[in-house]
Amino acid sequence: MTDTEKLAHLLDKLLAKNCSFAVWALPGSNTPEILLTDQEDMIYPSQLNKLNGQEGFVFAPYHIEEDKPLVLLKPGIYQKGVESILSIDVDQLTMQKTAQQTQPKHIIIQKDAYLKSIETTIETISTSKLSKVIVSRLIPHARGDESLGSLYMQLLQQTPNAMVYLVNLPQAGLWMGATPEVLLKSEGKTIETVSLAGTQSRRSDSDYSWHTKEIEEQAFVSRYLLDVFYRFNIHPYTTQGPETLESGKVAHLMTSFRFAAKKLAHKLGDFVADLHPTPAVCGYPKSRADKFISKIEQHDRRYYTGYLGPWRLNESVRLFVNLRCMEITPENYVLYSGGGITSRSVPEDEWEETINKAGTLLSAIEAVQKK
């Protein structure tokens, strides 16, 4: 049995015991990390700024609500690297209780309904002060008897430029994803955040040309980040981009912003609270877009377009926006996929974009189900 197969088997055993854990690998690294915590040792901060002074692994929803809490896994067992993770004796871990909670209702809409919602969104943008809105939908795919551990390893192998994760949490559920979008990265004396928006199918020759709609869409996010910088008195800062980022089946436009970490020495939680959700997952202006989303989307986003990642583990923070993700139920993989709508959007193109984005996860599922 290879190390990959051993790690997949270990993850399956953790799930069989319903252990509370997060396993992840950062972009550009094939080195997985894992954090396991007893259910009674997990923290559910009521507000994002309550993360100030804490450490662990964060899993945050789009909006914090009683049935969708912000979850912080405190360091119980933490291991980095395949060899170290395989040293965990799962047989010694206690079987965890299954939380008594109502299963979320996943509302699936058909193509005609989605196209109509995009048409309504474009019309609203054309006649209001809205500039951009992200509209998403759910894509179900039936589960078989395939190993979820093997599925995670497959996703890790095929998306090296993403944050690839699997979490199992009593109040949030079972989620897997491969997200390319950095929300905040803090290492040493520097903090980095990213403006990422605009999508097209990945090209084999990496020869990309971007249209006005995609360039505008990404510019909205950059403009918003600068507004947040102003409120926190962040200057000077440096930028890199816009440039193309390839991830999974798609490519995006990205600009990186970097500044001195001392600017947020005791306010990192407050900064994240103000930063999220960015126009990349909500729209612009943010408050108007958020209100519109609550009316146009029939489903609950739950942890889709929230954020996740290690928080002050090893003296660093690596938070990612929860995109290219799916919630895993006993019967289905429920994929979440959306796109940024502007006055230049074409409904049929937006439908295709949601399919392309879902392709990252669907290709991994299909590869494992064929074995």
Side-chain angles (χ1 to χ4, degrees):
M1 188 181 289
T2 66
D3 281 351
T4 296
E5 292 169 331
K6 289 177 183 177
L7 184 50
H9 183 60
L10 182 143
L11 295 176
D12 287 334
K13 289 176 71 175
L14 290 175
L15 289 171
K17 286 200 165 188
N18 195 34
C19 294
S20 299
F21 72 92
V23 60
W24 70 94
L26 297 173
S29 167
N30 59 359
T31 303
E33 303 176 53
I34 195 167
L35 194 157
L36 291 98
T37 305
D38 289 337
Q39 290 183 3
E40 55 268 24
D41 292 336
M42 289 198 296
I43 295 176
Y44 302 95
S46 58
Q47 296 175 323
L48 304 181
N49 55 17
K50 297 289 179 65
L51 291 172
N52 291 332
Q54 297 285 355
E55 69 170 353
F57 186 94
V58 172
F59 195 63
Y62 177 60
H63 285 311
I64 298 175
E65 296 177 16
E66 187 175 347
D67 62 336
K68 296 176 287 293
L70 169 64
V71 184
L72 178 70
L73 286 81
K74 296 287 286 182
I77 297 174
Y78 170 65
Q79 298 288 358
K80 182 176 181 179
V82 174
E83 187 174 338
S84 295
I85 294 173
L86 291 177
S87 70
I88 297 172
D89 188 350
V90 180
D91 294 331
Q92 295 299 312
L93 299 177
T94 305
M95 173 79 86
Q96 299 293 304
K97 295 179 182 178
T98 301
Q100 295 295 317
Q101 59 187 45
T102 304
Q103 284 295 321
K105 186 178 181 181
H106 297 113
I107 299 174
I108 312 299
I109 62 172
Q110 301 305 312
K111 182 176 181 179
D112 287 349
Y114 186 76
L115 294 181
K116 187 174 181 180
S117 71
I118 301 304
E119 290 168 359
T120 300
T121 304
I122 295 170
E123 183 179 341
T124 303
I125 290 172
S126 301
T127 57
S128 71
K129 293 182 179 180
L130 272 177
S131 300
K132 171 187 172 181
V133 182
I134 281 64
V135 180
S136 63
R137 68 185 182 97
L138 306 185
I139 303 172
H141 186 93
R143 277 186 67 181
D145 59 358
E146 61 275 3
S147 153
L148 291 181
S150 297
L151 176 54
Y152 174 77
M153 298 308 295
Q154 176 70 30
L155 192 60
L156 179 60
Q157 175 192 340
Q158 70 180 45
T159 47
N161 293 333
M163 156 70 153
V164 183
Y165 77 89
L166 170 65
V167 301
N168 185 49
L169 304 170
Q171 298 297 319
L174 178 58
W175 290 74
M176 188 185 298
T179 174
E181 183 169 349
V182 173
L183 180 68
L184 185 136
K185 173 182 175 182
S186 173
E187 286 185 315
K189 297 181 179 180
T190 303
I191 288 177
E192 177 183 346
T193 187
V194 165
S195 162
L196 185 146
T199 305
Q200 59 178 278
S201 297
R202 189 165 178 173
R203 295 178 58 94
S204 58
D205 59 7
S206 296
D207 184 16
Y208 294 94
S209 60
W210 295 93
H211 298 104
T212 303
K213 184 260 181 184
E214 297 147 347
I215 294 169
E216 282 183 344
E217 190 182 340
Q218 197 255 348
F220 286 135
V221 185
S222 297
R223 193 179 311 155
Y224 170 79
L225 293 183
L226 297 183
D227 289 342
V228 177
F229 285 7
Y230 177 80
R231 290 195 289 274
F232 281 81
N233 196 30
I234 294 172
H235 62 82
Y237 56 84
T238 62
T239 64
Q240 181 177 330
E243 57 191 7
T244 300
L245 172 69
E246 296 179 320
S247 180
K249 298 286 186 178
V250 294
H252 307 282
L253 271 175
M254 178 184 76
T255 302
S256 300
F257 297 81
R258 297 181 181 89
F259 55 91
K262 63 183 180 182
K263 293 285 185 179
L264 298 175
H266 305 292
K267 299 183 292 185
L268 199 56
D270 300 270
F271 181 75
V272 173
D274 200 11
L275 190 64
H276 177 266
T278 73
V281 299
C282 177
Y284 192 85
K286 184 163 86 169
S287 60
R288 290 177 182 271
D290 188 41
K291 194 173 295 185
F292 182 81
I293 287 169
S294 68
K295 296 176 182 177
I296 200 74
E297 289 186 351
Q298 297 181 33
H299 61 277
D300 185 343
R301 286 192 174 190
R302 293 180 50 73
Y303 290 84
Y304 166 64
T305 62
Y307 60 87
L308 71 153
W311 179 265
R312 298 197 184 282
L313 276 180
N314 302 323
E315 302 300 318
S316 71
V317 174
R318 299 293 293 271
L319 297 183
F320 293 80
V321 182
N322 197 11
L323 305 174
R324 313 297 178 274
C325 66
M326 59 185 175
E327 188 169 9
I328 304 173
T329 71
E331 298 82 23
N332 290 300
Y333 301 104
V334 182
L335 286 69
Y336 291 70
S337 187
I341 313 303
T342 71
S343 59
R344 299 176 186 271
S345 292
V346 177
E348 190 73 34
D349 292 348
E350 298 298 339
W351 172 265
E352 290 300 321
E353 182 173 318
T354 62
I355 293 173
N356 290 337
K357 287 177 175 176
T360 297
L361 290 169
L362 287 173
S363 61
I365 294 169
E366 289 164 359
V368 172
Q369 288 184 333
K370 287 178 182 175
K371 291 181 179 178

